[in-house]
Amino acid sequence: MSEFNSCPAHDKSAEPKESRAGLSRRNFFTSLAVAAGSIGLTSIASSAEAASKKYKICATKDIKVGGGSSFRIPGRNMMVLITQPKVGVFRAFDQRCTHEGFAVNKIEGKNLICQAHGALFDMNTGAVKRGPARKALPTYTVSVEKKLVYVTIKS
Ligand code: FES
């Protein structure tokens, strides 16, 4: 019967058993935590993507600098107000006034106006400049690709 000499660096029996078991358990749980974290983040990211949808709204040339227009969101019973407060800067707002839900339907200077009761909103931020509305207009994410304006809306 012959015995092989093993290299001490690769000879696991040279390590104390308790230490080996502790390390591998720790490594196992660390790996498990990292994997669980990755899965959690991935699933959060994919549910956020699944919960949002991007809609093609109009061409950039349809919105004058310092102006805006409202559009029906394709396939949804919603209106979006697109403005261009500065050259190449586009904003999108829910067209419903935050006072009582009438349509914000007029632009005067840099203001969006709800003619129902006279509320005034900033065309760049949607912030209230004059009541009776107290809350800013809800905003949507706008992107421009190949001279087309897109809006991303959460489902
Ligand atoms: S609904 Fe717009 S000001 Fe009242």
Side-chain angles (χ1 to χ4, degrees):
M1 193 167 175
S2 65
E3 283 186 32
F4 294 99
N5 287 334
S6 58
C7 169
H10 294 94
D11 184 8
K12 300 285 184 197
S13 65
E15 293 177 30
K17 286 187 179 180
E18 209 175 285
S19 164
R20 250 190 313 155
L23 277 176
S24 57
R25 228 177 290 147
R26 191 178 322 133
N27 287 343
F28 172 75
F29 284 116
T30 303
S31 303
L32 192 62
V34 169
S38 302
I39 290 167
L41 291 176
T42 304
S43 88
I44 288 168
S46 29
S47 28
E49 279 175 28
S52 297
K53 190 168 179 186
K54 193 171 169 181
Y55 297 90
K56 182 168 60 178
I57 303 296
C58 61
T60 53
K61 67 177 172 51
D62 296 336
I63 311 296
K64 289 183 198 165
V65 177
S69 288
S70 60
F71 300 88
R72 181 169 299 284
I73 296 173
R76 296 183 68 152
N77 190 21
M78 290 174 69
M79 297 296 285
V80 63
L81 194 52
I82 307 286
T83 65
Q84 187 178 184
K86 297 177 192 164
V87 177
V89 175
F90 293 88
R91 304 287 188 227
F93 305 99
D94 187 325
Q95 192 184 7
R96 289 171 295 184
C97 179
T98 55
H99 177 229
E100 287 185 0
F102 286 87
V104 174
N105 54 4
K106 190 175 176 190
I107 294 180
E108 226 174 65
K110 295 185 176 191
N111 302 314
L112 304 172
I113 301 168
C114 175
Q115 293 182 302
H117 309 104
L120 227 77
F121 302 91
D122 185 293
M123 71 155 20
N124 186 36
T125 64
V128 175
K129 293 174 95 178
R130 181 180 71 209
R134 292 182 176 181
K135 287 166 66 182
L137 292 174
T139 58
Y140 299 124
T141 303
V142 181
S143 55
V144 175
E145 295 168 27
K146 297 180 182 173
K147 298 185 179 183
L148 294 173
V149 178
Y150 292 84
V151 168
T152 302
I153 296 177
K154 290 179 185 165
S155 299

